[in-house]
């Protein structure tokens, strides 16, 4: 009694496999797209690493845990000093270790952390001692400096996942619909679920391979750090690629015009790229903007990748972010499959 169901399952897997192979082969044969996906993110990392590899900016940055009391108000009047609020003391301490923050101050405890090896740590400590005359407890920290190229690499890989997923799935499906490819596929035993599954699998595999190659080349050429698990980083790329491809699938579920698809994909991808911390951190921006940006799937992918690469975070530390991204992907896949339309009419 179970033989027909088993036969249907084998047939479905066979059709998915055939379409998966055809779509992947189509991408590999498109030399321009292949070279662009491989070289563009790598050139960005190398270029920005060279541009920003010089000495740090002459702006002293002090992190503040909690509120500034009256005794610490003179700090707000120093022209070259930037005060950055921190709710999480451990996060601020980590930034001091990595030379991303010159000094961390806790006014309530009368305590501050400084890295003597940081180029501007001594200047930040001097300004603090000159402005505040209360007794302060000093704690020295040590750690490797995180270069801009190290910090940038997870953002570039996340950006590549986004563009590859959105345009590699969304734009391609719209083109198939406009050119009548979907209409011809509809006449075959292939179901909509099988077609969408093959598209997602092909794109996720491609983005995963490209992301791995970009990381390995940057790891060997630029000596970027990997303090956490490489397998966890690979899993983050897998989840991120799936989420971005799923979003592309949802956008392309019913759109019939390539121009409209391109405009909509850019409307979604460009703000997400600038708000997700690809090029710069949003620390110091308005709290409401940080709250909105933190909910974006690309933000969570990049933050998880940076935590693993630069902070040595484990599975538990990034599980919450990855769970939200996976839920987002599941919702996009479900809605995209429900709304999917074969033909342009």
């Amino acid at each position: 009694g179970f033989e027909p169901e088993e036969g249907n399952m084998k047939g479905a897997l066979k059709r998915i496999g055939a379409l998966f192979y055809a779509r992947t082969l189509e991408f590999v044969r498109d030399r321009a797209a292949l070279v662009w996906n491989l070289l563009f993110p790598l050139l960005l990392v190398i270029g920005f690493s060279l541009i920003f590899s010089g000495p740090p900016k002459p702006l002293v940055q002090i992190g503040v845990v909690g509120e500034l009391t009256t005794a610490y108000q003179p700090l707000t009047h120093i022209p070259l000093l930037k005060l950055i609020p921190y709710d999480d003391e451990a996060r601020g301490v980590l930034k001091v270790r990595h030379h991303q923050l010159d000094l961390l101050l806790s006014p309530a405890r009368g305590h501050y952390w400084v890295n003597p090896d940081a180029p501007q740590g001594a200047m930040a400590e001097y300004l603090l001692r000159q402005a505040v005359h209360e007794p302060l407890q000093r704690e020295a920290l040590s750690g490797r400096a995180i270069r801009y190229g190290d910090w940038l690499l997870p953002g570039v890989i996340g950006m590549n996942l986004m563009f590859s997923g959105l345009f590699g799935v969304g734009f391609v499906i719209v083109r198939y619909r406009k050119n009548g490819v979907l209409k011809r596929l509809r006449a075959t035993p292939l179901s909509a679920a099988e077609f969408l599954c093959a598209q997602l699998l092909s794109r996720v595999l491609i983005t995963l391979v490209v992301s791995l190659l970009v990381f390995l080349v940057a790891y060997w050429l630029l000596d970027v750090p990997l303090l956490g698990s490489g397998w966890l980083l690979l899993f983050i790329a897998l989840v991120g690629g799936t989420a971005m491809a799923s979003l592309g699938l949802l956008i392309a579920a019913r759109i019939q015009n390539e121009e409209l698809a391109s405009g909509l994909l850019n409307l979604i991808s460009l703000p997400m790229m600038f708000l997700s911390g690809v090029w710069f951190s949003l620390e110091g921006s308005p709290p409401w903007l940080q709250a909105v940006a933190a909910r974006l799937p690309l933000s969570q992918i990049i933050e998880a990748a940076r935590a693993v690469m630069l902070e040595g975070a484990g599975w538990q530390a990034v599980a919450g972010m990855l769970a939200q991204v996976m839920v987002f992907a599941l919702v996009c896949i479900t809605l995209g499959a429900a709304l999917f339309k074969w033909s342009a009419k």
Side-chain angles (χ1 to χ4, degrees):
F2 293 96
E3 292 181 0
E5 182 178 349
E6 183 179 354
N8 290 336
M9 179 62 69
K10 288 183 178 178
L13 292 176
K14 187 175 180 180
R15 291 188 292 271
I16 291 174
L19 193 61
F20 167 80
Y21 175 76
R23 178 67 188 100
T24 305
L25 192 62
E26 180 186 5
F27 173 80
V28 173
R29 286 178 173 175
D30 187 350
R31 301 297 173 83
L34 184 62
V35 172
W36 177 258
N37 276 269
L38 284 172
L39 291 185
F40 178 66
L42 188 60
L43 290 175
L44 280 176
V45 174
I46 295 175
F48 276 94
S49 297
L50 294 175
I51 293 172
F52 293 97
S53 59
K57 295 180 180 180
L59 177 66
V60 177
Q61 298 184 4
I62 292 181
V64 179
V65 181
E67 299 292 333
L68 284 177
T69 58
T70 304
Y72 295 88
Q73 287 300 320
L75 290 172
T76 61
H77 303 299
I78 300 178
L80 297 180
L81 178 63
K82 182 178 181 180
L83 299 176
I84 304 175
Y86 278 89
D87 295 326
D88 187 356
E89 179 180 297
R91 184 183 177 195
V93 167
L94 190 64
K95 286 189 173 291
V96 174
R97 289 187 183 276
H98 290 167
H99 301 214
Q100 295 175 312
L101 194 63
D102 301 317
L103 185 144
L104 181 68
L105 171 67
S106 177
R109 295 170 52 188
H111 193 107
Y112 71 90
W113 296 262
V114 66
N115 190 334
D117 299 326
Q120 292 176 273
M123 176 61 71
E125 189 173 12
Y126 173 78
L127 292 175
L128 176 64
R129 290 290 188 179
Q130 291 297 314
V132 179
H133 302 290
E134 288 193 350
L136 293 169
Q137 183 179 355
R138 179 183 189 267
E139 183 174 347
L141 302 172
S142 61
R144 168 179 173 173
I146 298 298
R147 301 165 299 177
Y148 179 69
D150 303 335
W151 185 87
L152 177 66
L153 179 60
V156 171
I157 292 178
M159 182 191 67
N160 193 51
L161 291 175
M162 177 185 67
F163 281 116
S164 182
L166 290 180
F167 287 89
V169 173
F171 194 77
V172 168
I173 291 179
V174 173
R175 190 184 68 207
Y176 282 173
R177 183 178 291 117
K178 182 179 179 180
N179 294 341
V181 175
L182 295 186
K183 188 176 181 180
R184 291 192 292 271
L185 288 175
R186 189 180 185 184
T188 69
L190 186 72
S191 68
E194 293 166 358
F195 169 76
L196 298 177
C197 182
Q199 292 292 319
L200 286 175
L201 288 175
S202 174
R203 180 49 53 174
V204 170
L205 174 64
I206 291 169
T207 56
L208 201 60
V209 171
V210 170
S211 299
L212 180 60
L213 290 176
V214 170
F215 174 79
L216 290 177
V217 173
Y219 184 78
W220 288 327
L221 291 183
L222 303 177
D223 191 30
V224 296
L226 177 57
L227 304 182
S229 167
W231 291 109
L232 177 54
L233 191 62
L234 191 64
F235 181 71
I236 292 171
L238 175 63
V239 172
T242 303
M244 294 297 101
S246 303
L247 179 58
L249 167 66
L250 175 60
I251 295 171
R254 285 184 173 272
I255 295 179
Q256 305 169 9
N257 186 282
E258 290 178 324
E259 289 75 17
L260 176 60
S262 179
L264 189 56
L265 290 170
N266 281 307
L267 181 63
I268 293 174
S269 61
L270 293 179
M272 188 156 56
M273 177 178 64
F274 288 108
L275 292 177
S276 296
V278 173
W279 310 108
F280 48 82
S281 173
L282 290 181
E283 289 181 354
S285 62
W288 66 267
L289 183 60
Q290 295 186 44
V292 171
R295 294 298 178 185
L296 297 175
L298 185 60
S299 297
Q300 295 168 333
I301 295 166
I302 294 175
E303 185 177 350
R306 283 187 177 134
V308 172
M309 278 186 59
L310 307 180
E311 302 171 13
W315 291 88
Q316 292 182 345
V318 299
M321 289 180 283
L322 294 182
Q324 294 182 56
V325 176
M326 286 189 283
V327 169
F328 173 82
L330 183 60
V331 171
C332 288
I333 292 173
T334 304
L335 291 177
L339 297 173
F340 182 74
K341 186 178 181 181
W342 286 101
S343 63
K345 295 182 179 180

